[in-house]
Amino acid sequence: MRRAGTALLAATACLALLPGAPAWAGTSGHHPGHALRDCTGTAPITCHFAVAPGTYDVTAVLGGADAGSTAVTAESRRTLLPATPTAAGQRLTRTFSVNVREPEGEPTGPSGSPGLDLFFGGDAPRLADLRVTASRRTQLFLAGDSTVCDQIAAPYTGWGQQLPQFFRGGRGGLSVANYADSGEGSGSFLADPRLFPTMRPLIRKGDTVLIQFAHNDKQTTAADYRANLTALLDGVRTRGGEPVLVTPIVRRWFNDDGTLDNGTALHINGLGVNLPAEMRALAASQRVPLIDLTALTRQLVERLGPEGSKALYLTEEARDNTHTSTHGATEFARLVLGELRALALVPDGVIR
């Protein structure tokens, strides 16, 4: 183990392979299945594990001799745990399930770092112990665009990037597998071999798949939009998964009266197709669960108003009223979480 000053008291990383689990691709002379101790730094504390793509349970013991505050992220800026305080001498155990894939962020983006990367940051990170175990957990798959995906560069953040922090890991837990990708519409996600054709074979019975497309269906006809979504639904169902349609987050585009009642905000495309309305109708006809994120985000954004809603988006940073800040992505992820719970799409036991 490498010492990382007073912040890293005793970081120990172990991989216990399960039957049929991905083999350990160890470094520094370690053989498959042997302990790997490779955490460095103090703020953040960075831990790397040379594992194959798959799902891994991470058990972290936070705390130390001194008081601390630790936040945990993984891979491409996925939030696993918000800032969590520990008193001097206190120990807290937290477990997460992490989906490791290649590329680690957007499926059509750069590869990133192979294996599993964990980052223990915050104002005063304290890590006392760490264990990583190969597993196969129930998965929550995400299919969507740039407002959902694991964005590589801050301050851009997709709501799917913030969703993992709300779920427990380990036995009885849930892993989030985010296959959303910037610039994708309902048709391109179906057609690109790196997207749905890669995600679909990984879906197993009992997995849930959230599907949000509209932002990039600017010239898609109503018939094509419904056909594309239907093909996605059928593809998930044939694998034994449960598809869920999710209407898109609103764009922050206010009328003079402070409402978002316009085509830009509510995704009426260049052909005059009301995409959220089409998705609602399809969900009803196909008897598929629907998360009306358009309605939910509209309520939130209108309540905050033209000034208060700026913090949800990248209005100040980039004059961008489509993509969300970390704060906005977190708040929108909370809305998704509330609907997952209300519709009983995930067991209460997996929610923190």
Side-chain angles (χ1 to χ4, degrees):
M1 179 183 67
R2 302 178 188 176
R3 293 281 178 182
T6 57
L8 180 55
L9 298 179
T12 304
C14 305
L15 177 70
L17 291 181
L18 303 180
W24 179 275
T27 61
S28 304
H30 289 282
H31 297 289
H34 287 194
L36 177 67
R37 300 170 181 179
D38 198 5
C39 293
T40 60
T42 58
I45 301 165
T46 300
C47 305
H48 175 74
F49 305 91
V51 297
T55 303
Y56 295 87
D57 292 338
V58 177
T59 301
V61 180
L62 308 179
D66 300 323
S69 178
T70 309
V72 186
T73 59
E75 299 293 87
S76 183
R77 302 176 54 238
R78 300 179 215 158
T79 300
L80 300 182
L81 188 72
T84 301
T86 48
Q90 183 184 17
R91 297 289 190 274
L92 290 177
T93 300
R94 295 291 183 267
T95 303
F96 327 97
S97 292
V98 183
N99 172 251
V100 175
R101 59 184 183 275
E102 214 172 296
E104 67 180 14
E106 298 181 64
T108 65
S111 294
S113 173
L116 170 61
D117 293 294
L118 299 170
F119 306 93
F120 296 83
D123 293 339
R126 301 285 185 262
L127 179 62
D129 192 37
L130 184 65
R131 181 176 296 272
V132 176
T133 307
S135 68
R136 174 54 174 96
R137 297 297 170 207
T138 300
Q139 302 264 55
L140 179 64
F141 286 91
L142 307 182
D145 51 42
S146 58
T147 65
V148 185
C149 74
D150 287 347
Q151 293 277 1
I152 296 175
Y156 286 83
T157 310
W159 61 255
Q161 212 161 5
Q162 296 300 304
L163 204 54
Q165 65 185 297
F166 299 115
F167 298 114
R168 299 183 185 278
R171 182 170 296 179
L174 185 71
S175 169
V176 177
N178 191 351
Y179 279 81
D181 193 70
S182 292
E184 306 302 338
S186 58
S188 63
F189 193 83
L190 271 170
D192 193 318
R194 297 167 293 183
L195 299 173
F196 194 60
T198 293
M199 185 187 84
R200 182 179 171 276
L202 302 175
I203 300 169
R204 296 187 184 181
K205 186 176 182 180
D207 291 341
T208 300
V209 183
L210 305 187
I211 301 167
Q212 180 204 279
F213 291 105
H215 278 87
N216 301 303
D217 282 283
K218 297 180 176 70
Q219 296 297 319
T220 306
T221 67
D224 285 345
Y225 185 61
R226 291 171 71 107
N228 292 338
L229 292 178
T230 300
L232 291 168
L233 298 178
D234 291 344
V236 172
R237 285 165 162 165
T238 58
R239 293 292 303 170
E242 178 168 19
V244 180
L245 290 174
V246 182
T247 61
I249 67 170
V250 295
R251 297 189 180 99
R252 184 188 164 277
W253 196 270
F254 282 93
N255 298 325
D256 291 341
D257 63 0
T259 70
L260 299 177
D261 190 12
N262 60 77
T264 299
L266 301 182
H267 301 282
I268 299 173
N269 75 7
L271 301 180
V273 179
N274 186 324
L275 297 169
E278 291 293 333
M279 184 178 282
R280 294 180 191 115
L282 181 64
S285 66
Q286 292 273 334
R287 298 184 179 179
V288 171
L290 174 79
I291 295 176
D292 198 341
L293 197 54
T294 305
L296 293 169
T297 54
R298 178 183 179 179
Q299 291 169 9
L300 175 59
V301 172
E302 286 186 341
R303 177 169 58 80
L304 292 173
E307 191 61 34
S309 63
K310 288 179 180 178
L312 298 174
Y313 294 84
L314 297 176
T315 306
E316 301 285 8
E317 299 89 340
R319 297 183 180 179
D320 187 333
N321 293 301
T322 295
H323 298 96
T324 49
S325 63
T326 300
H327 167 65
T330 303
E331 292 306 304
F332 291 172
R334 289 185 197 279
L335 296 176
V336 173
L337 179 73
E339 292 301 286
L340 289 173
R341 173 181 275 155
L343 296 171
L345 293 170
V346 297
D348 277 342
V350 307
I351 299 174
R352 289 190 187 279

